[in-house]
Amino acid sequence: MLSHTRMSVHDKPAEGASGGGGPGVKRPVVALALGAGAARGWSHIGVLHELAAHGLRPEIIAGTSIGAVVGACWACGRLDQLEDFARSINKRTIFGMMDLSFSGAGLIGGGRLRARLEKALADIRIEDVYPRFAAVATEVGSGHEVWLTKGPICDAVRASYALPGIFEPVRTGGRWLFDGALVNPVPVTVCRAMGADIVIAVNIIGDTLFRGTVVGDAPVVENEMIDEMPVRSGMSMLRDRATSLFRRREDGAPGIGSIMMDAFNITQDRISRSRLAGDPPDVMIKARLDGVGLFDFHRAADLIAMGREAARRGLPDIMDHIALSPAVTEPSI
């Protein structure tokens, strides 16, 4: 399993340790930039598994949105738990994880997802994990790109995936923040600023725009949701309304949720093209995710396998860059 091959905070190499190139010689610092892409982000898990299987352990991980979720779990040694959770999702439980809000700043309050994250990441702070981690978010109002490199890692992750209009924004560090994909969908620049010599980017947005596909049948509310919500005659009406937010109408028009996600995806696609053209990674990993929608969270098994295959295709390029990277000789004392 991955937990047997990854480096934890206790495995952090000592300052000045050589990386196999002889005394006083350091390996190049390898970073991983995990991009945004909603459900498609489960493929990041497969990428990390495949890299770890070949002994590749990034020293820096920067993530945006779902990339921040996966990257944080990897850095905290919780990737196996995240994978178990992802694989447990099916078509009939997706809406059971969403606490819908019709009066707040987003369609989904996010309380249930927050509770799961807090349980998994507890009181872990970003500055205490290794590899080094950063999450990208956007400041509400100003549009400033914010790199979260200190503080509770759970808050940073929540801010990074808070899609405008879908999830409520998160207040952290005195700022209201939401999804970092609005400013930096694939955070290559963050990795470089953190000292990376080689940046491997995982872009899951794709070259062609895709449509989010959502469960069409009526969702089943799990026991935990029933416990938290009062039983009343109007429950079925609430469920129907929740489903209709993301389902197409009889005349073929998409629901408001689908419209918002499509608009967000178009913006994200254009921004990522511009950012990557200005600061391309050393190696780009692109999974073949055609036919996978933004809301296909129930397809974790397929997506993880797709991520492994994408990483496998990129391995020769990664190894070439590491081999050709000039060694950094540390001064002798």
Side-chain angles (χ1 to χ4, degrees), residues 36-314:
R40 290 181 159 206
W42 293 147
S43 62
H44 289 320
I45 298 173
V47 170
L48 284 164
H49 273 307
E50 191 65 24
L51 294 182
H54 289 81
L56 292 171
R57 305 182 180 98
E59 296 175 71
I60 297 168
I61 292 184
T64 299
S65 198
I66 187 68
V69 176
V70 177
C73 288
W74 161 262
C76 295
R78 304 289 192 273
L79 193 66
D80 290 342
Q81 290 92 319
L82 178 65
E83 181 177 356
D84 290 343
F85 167 68
R87 289 181 181 273
S88 73
I89 299 173
N90 58 52
K91 287 185 176 182
R92 299 175 66 83
T93 59
I94 292 175
F95 280 97
M97 297 182 300
M98 299 180 181
D99 45 346
L100 294 158
S101 171
F102 299 103
S103 59
L107 294 176
I108 300 172
R112 291 187 181 85
L113 295 176
R114 180 175 67 247
R116 287 182 178 272
L117 276 175
E118 289 176 346
K119 182 178 180 180
L121 303 180
D123 297 321
I124 301 173
R125 297 182 64 83
I126 299 175
E127 54 266 42
D128 294 332
V129 303
Y130 189 85
R132 288 182 287 148
F133 173 75
V136 179
T138 306
E139 184 177 20
V140 177
S142 70
H144 291 158
E145 180 177 337
V146 179
W147 299 351
L148 298 165
T149 58
K150 295 181 179 179
I153 200 165
C154 182
D155 291 349
V157 169
R158 288 178 51 232
S160 188
Y161 73 62
L163 279 75
I166 303 294
F167 289 102
E168 295 185 353
V170 176
R171 185 171 179 81
T172 181
R175 303 179 180 185
W176 284 103
L177 305 174
F178 52 34
D179 203 311
L182 283 168
V183 289
N184 198 350
V186 187
V188 173
T189 51
V190 182
C191 292
R192 299 225 187 270
M194 293 176 71
D197 298 310
I198 297 173
V199 179
I200 304 166
V202 186
N203 184 2
I204 55 176
I205 299 171
D207 291 328
T208 58
L209 292 178
F210 50 89
R211 296 286 184 253
T213 55
V214 185
V215 184
D217 52 350
V220 172
V221 182
E222 296 181 316
N223 291 335
E224 63 176 345
M225 188 174 181
I226 293 174
D227 292 340
E228 295 175 12
M229 299 182 68
V231 178
R232 58 184 185 276
S233 59
M235 179 65 74
S236 60
M237 295 177 61
L238 178 60
R239 296 173 195 165
D240 289 344
R241 184 179 180 188
T243 306
S244 68
L245 292 172
F246 299 93
R247 189 168 54 193
R248 289 186 176 275
R249 297 186 329 212
E250 292 182 2
D251 62 0
I256 183 173
S258 296
I259 291 173
M260 293 173 65
M261 290 300 294
D262 267 4
F264 188 78
N265 177 57
I266 292 169
T267 303
Q268 181 176 290
D269 178 71
R270 299 301 186 267
I271 294 171
S272 65
R273 290 170 186 262
S274 176
R275 294 295 299 258
L276 292 173
D279 190 4
D282 298 286
V283 179
M284 176 73 81
I285 293 176
K286 297 191 71 172
R288 294 167 181 164
L289 301 174
D290 291 342
V292 180
L294 288 167
F295 288 103
D296 285 347
F297 288 99
H298 60 285
R299 297 186 59 185
D302 294 336
L303 286 161
I304 291 169
M306 293 174 183
R308 292 202 73 140
E309 175 57 30
R312 200 172 294 125
R313 292 195 304 270

